[in-house]
Amino acid sequence: MSDTVERIKTLIIGSGPAGYTAAIYAARADLKPVMYTGMEPGGQLTTTTEVDNFPGYPEGIDGPTMMVQLQQQAERFGTEVRVGMVTAVDLSTEPGGIHHITVDESKKIEAETVIISTGASAKYLNIPSEQRLRGGGVSACAVCDGFFYKGQEVAIVGGGDTAAEEASYLANICKKVTMLVRKDHMRASKAMQHRVNSLENIDIRYNTEVDEVLGEQVVEGLRMVNNKTGHKEDIEITGLFVAIGHKPNTDIFKGQLDMDDTGYIITEGKSTKTNIPGVFASGDVQDKEYRQAVTAAGTGCMAALDAERYLATVEQKVMQPS
Ligand code: NDP
């Protein structure tokens, strides 16, 4: 237990592309940023293999390497990167107010500005057999884990763009992909629907949900249920991919920051400003639409610039009281 309070100018919470880009800009602006990485240092990209769409990497780069390089770049300018989890926040609503942050339930921090880049996490179905077999054949990332099912039969749940994209990715490496869509239509864009429809080894089952994932230690099959007829059917699979969307990691900020009805932080206009002065949000935690590494990095840059301008305004007011 630590009861000493540390004062920090710019605290960055989360270590994905948004957090690291904010750190690079904040450090160069002499905001002396300290970053807490959270439970998954490097964020979602550490569970990705190849990143082919980040500008500047003509041959692509693997996600974990990219995150290590972003960390090195942020540290080169003086960012202090610490492994730790922010567990509570008490944000001041006063302009120029100090935000009280607790890390790992014990360490106390006073922050002049806070940049939230806590990202979003994959959603699961939350049925017991699925939870039991996570890591034993149940995955929420086809691009990360699809390789292990090369030549095998797998299933994927979801009817959005992620599910469609991952189904076509899996179809390239697996023998057969059964796609479970709970409605009678997909939510995915027409182009993505066309892609999955055109692949012969994708079997799309509409109005179909997971009743139970079969297998004790590893996935051996799937019991599907037609939600219109109630008809159940078992198929043999070795992998189940869940692609039903993401949940923003915003629980600790609930009741203090304005959020939409799905928990994404609302930012002001084109800025990264939240409803609390001195608190900024960047990356997937405030973006359910684009959710790309490059867009996250862009908003991380914006958050650092917004924090710098905010501090300059606050300092000016302190020096010249009205
Ligand atoms: P979405 O929220 O768009 O889709 C989630 C899908 O999962 C829906 O089909 C939904 O069904 C289904 N679903 C949700 N909960 C359950 C459940 N409990 N059981 C069964 N099915 C369930 O999430 P995505 O991750 O697909 O996409 C998020 C955003 O990212 C979108 O804006 C998307 O366009 C974008 N995106 C764009 C890509 C691209 O352009 N290349 C690639 C990937 C994502 P229902 O429709 O019935 O609600």
Side-chain angles (χ1 to χ4, degrees):
M1 287 280 284
S2 154
D3 49 16
T4 50
V5 178
E6 182 185 8
R7 182 74 167 253
I8 289 173
K9 207 168 198 173
T10 297
L11 176 72
I12 299 171
I13 311 174
S15 53
Y20 279 126
T21 308
I24 292 164
Y25 274 77
R28 286 167 61 89
D30 210 19
L31 304 186
K32 313 244 176 316
V34 172
M35 170 191 282
Y36 277 94
T37 59
M39 292 281 275
E40 189 182 56
Q44 289 181 75
L45 278 190
T46 54
T47 58
T48 306
T49 46
E50 201 72 1
V51 180
D52 273 332
N53 53 8
F54 201 95
Y57 296 99
E59 305 303 327
I61 182 166
D62 70 278
T65 303
M66 184 181 172
M67 297 320 297
V68 168
Q69 290 181 350
L70 278 173
Q71 177 172 346
Q72 289 168 345
Q73 194 175 354
E75 286 175 334
R76 177 155 76 94
F77 299 112
T79 304
E80 206 184 315
V81 178
R82 300 178 185 169
V83 176
M85 188 80 185
V86 170
T87 47
V89 299
D90 179 8
L91 305 173
S92 167
T93 53
E94 293 299 315
I98 295 299
H99 308 293
H100 296 269
I101 312 289
T102 308
V103 178
D104 293 334
E105 316 272 2
S106 61
K107 181 169 172 57
K108 303 286 182 198
I109 286 173
E110 291 180 350
E112 292 172 40
T113 55
V114 179
I115 295 176
I116 300 167
S117 322
T118 46
S121 302
K123 282 199 229 167
Y124 283 87
L125 300 165
N126 281 324
I127 57 173
S129 55
E130 174 217 44
Q131 291 302 305
R132 194 183 69 242
L133 290 163
R134 272 178 69 174
V138 172
S139 162
C141 180
V143 182
C144 325
D145 301 326
F147 175 78
F148 301 114
Y149 304 91
K150 204 169 175 183
Q152 301 174 33
E153 299 199 8
V154 299
I156 185 159
V157 188
D161 280 321
T162 303
E165 198 169 79
E166 297 200 340
S168 35
Y169 174 84
L170 290 167
N172 271 331
I173 47 178
C174 299
K175 193 167 150 198
K176 184 180 173 189
V177 181
T178 304
M179 185 171 182
L180 282 68
V181 180
R182 68 179 174 181
K183 287 196 178 129
D184 62 1
H185 61 274
M186 275 187 223
R187 191 192 291 200
S189 63
K190 287 279 174 269
M192 290 306 298
Q193 290 190 38
H194 180 69
R195 196 155 142 201
V196 288
N197 280 314
S198 69
L199 292 165
E200 278 177 5
N201 61 342
I202 299 183
D203 176 14
I204 306 170
R205 304 291 191 100
Y206 290 101
N207 294 122
T208 303
E209 296 180 41
V210 173
D211 188 54
E212 193 183 340
V213 191
L214 307 172
E216 281 306 314
Q217 306 295 326
V218 292
V219 172
E220 291 167 8
L222 186 68
R223 181 159 300 143
M224 307 184 290
V225 58
N226 184 303
N227 57 27
K228 282 255 148 74
T229 63
H231 176 73
K232 292 186 183 177
E233 181 186 342
D234 290 358
I235 55 169
E236 284 185 15
I237 54 162
T238 49
L240 176 70
F241 293 89
V242 183
I244 59 170
H246 288 77
K247 179 186 178 296
N249 298 318
T250 53
D251 287 352
I252 53 168
F253 308 107
K254 283 206 170 116
Q256 299 186 58
L257 291 180
D258 287 348
M259 296 177 193
D260 71 8
D261 52 9
T262 49
Y264 284 86
I265 295 173
I266 295 171
T267 49
E268 197 182 291
K270 287 182 182 168
S271 78
T272 62
K273 292 175 193 166
T274 68
N275 58 305
I276 301 264
V279 179
F280 307 91
S282 61
D284 287 9
V285 76
Q286 53 83 58
D287 169 25
K288 64 174 160 191
E289 206 175 324
Y290 301 104
R291 298 175 43 240
Q292 299 301 302
V294 68
T295 51
T299 56
C301 157
M302 289 161 62
L305 295 177
D306 285 340
E308 185 186 0
R309 285 173 195 155
Y310 167 83
L311 283 169
T313 314
V314 167
E315 278 158 19
Q316 208 171 34
K317 276 193 183 141
V318 170
M319 286 164 71
Q320 300 167 342
S322 53

